[in-house]
Amino acid sequence: MKIFAVGMNYASHNEEMKRMDFHVEEPVIFTKADSALLNQGKPFFVPDWTERVDYEAELVVRICRLGKSIPERFAYRYYDAVTVGIDFTARDMQQQAKSKGLPWAICKGFDGSAVIGEWVAIRGDRREEKPEMNGNMVDMENLHFHLDLNEQTVQRGCSADMIYSVDRLISYISRFFTLRTGDLLYTGTPAGVGPVKIGDHLQGYLEGRKVLDFYCR
């Protein structure tokens, strides 16, 4: 299983991170180790080697078939479910890496840094019929999500606001990597990122439905 993630895919987040004049000519892609995956409501253990870990709520899609060099018009056939996930980032280490022009592998890919919630099936006008998962389906083209931290909403986003759509991302990534069933794609975070601490409670919602629920330890 591979975990792909996208940086700088929402203008609101770029502005919040003081990238107001940043122009994304191509998707910014990075990967996380498979040991980064955290699911089933398991707690996130805040690392002791960083001074600040930030949550970044994102839509995460699941790859459902083998694919390479996928045309954008057919990309919808290669993912079948979506959830809310958290791309945890060791922010202090990321800033150090940026200042030195170094990779982000540790600050983004450490154990437990890729949280996912409950999967929900995707529907759309172009999609073949799929069995429902967990009693409902969602439209990937205009999907709203939000994250609550200790019962307060801290992030809101919508797939329609992405700089690069999911289909565009799938097509782009498949030029360089063979996609396989079970691979994951974190699609980028909107504005509102912030730090977590031990005892924090995070809950993620798709169209008002809770799909993510866990604590920081």
Side-chain angles (χ1 to χ4, degrees), residues 17-206:
M17 300 302 287
K18 305 187 186 306
R19 304 189 191 101
M20 286 78 78
D21 58 350
F22 187 85
H23 177 64
V24 184
E25 296 181 354
E26 291 187 326
V28 177
I29 306 298
F30 60 95
T31 60
K32 289 176 175 274
D34 57 4
S35 61
L37 185 63
L38 185 68
N39 56 13
Q40 299 178 344
K42 296 176 183 177
F44 170 71
F45 289 93
V46 180
D48 60 5
W49 42 259
T50 178
E51 295 182 359
R52 172 169 172 160
V53 177
D54 281 7
Y55 59 81
E56 297 187 9
E58 314 196 3
L59 293 176
V60 184
V61 296
R62 184 181 64 190
I63 302 302
C64 62
R65 65 172 66 180
L66 184 72
K68 174 70 176 175
S69 299
I70 302 165
E72 184 174 347
R73 67 184 183 277
F74 296 134
Y76 69 91
R77 298 176 178 174
Y78 290 82
Y79 57 100
D80 66 349
V82 63
T83 191
V84 174
I86 304 290
D87 167 21
F88 276 118
T89 303
R91 192 68 73 194
D92 54 338
M93 294 188 67
Q94 184 188 43
Q95 294 300 333
Q96 293 172 20
K98 284 182 179 180
S99 67
K100 298 177 182 179
L102 298 175
W104 297 4
I106 294 176
C107 66
K108 282 285 193 179
F110 60 90
D111 288 356
S113 63
V115 187
I116 57 171
E118 174 186 341
W119 292 110
V120 178
I122 297 169
R123 68 164 179 249
D125 293 340
R126 299 169 302 160
R127 289 174 167 78
E128 300 92 343
E129 290 297 323
K130 295 182 175 71
E132 294 190 4
M133 299 174 63
N134 307 314
N136 75 344
M137 304 178 81
V138 294
D139 178 4
M140 195 64 224
E141 303 299 324
N142 190 36
L143 182 58
H144 295 82
F145 65 101
H146 71 271
L147 177 71
D148 286 359
L149 174 66
N150 300 326
E151 313 302 328
Q152 298 293 322
T153 299
V154 291
Q155 282 191 280
R156 291 187 181 274
C158 178
S159 59
D161 295 330
M162 292 179 184
I163 296 172
Y164 291 103
S165 68
V166 173
D167 288 0
R168 176 72 180 93
L169 294 171
I170 294 292
S171 178
Y172 180 80
I173 292 171
S174 71
R175 291 171 54 192
F176 310 100
F177 301 92
T178 298
L179 299 181
R180 300 183 186 277
T181 300
D183 287 349
L184 305 179
L185 171 60
Y186 282 69
T187 59
T189 192
V193 304
V196 295
K197 63 183 184 303
I198 293 172
D200 280 346
H201 184 199
L202 289 92
Q203 297 170 298
Y205 295 80
L206 281 176

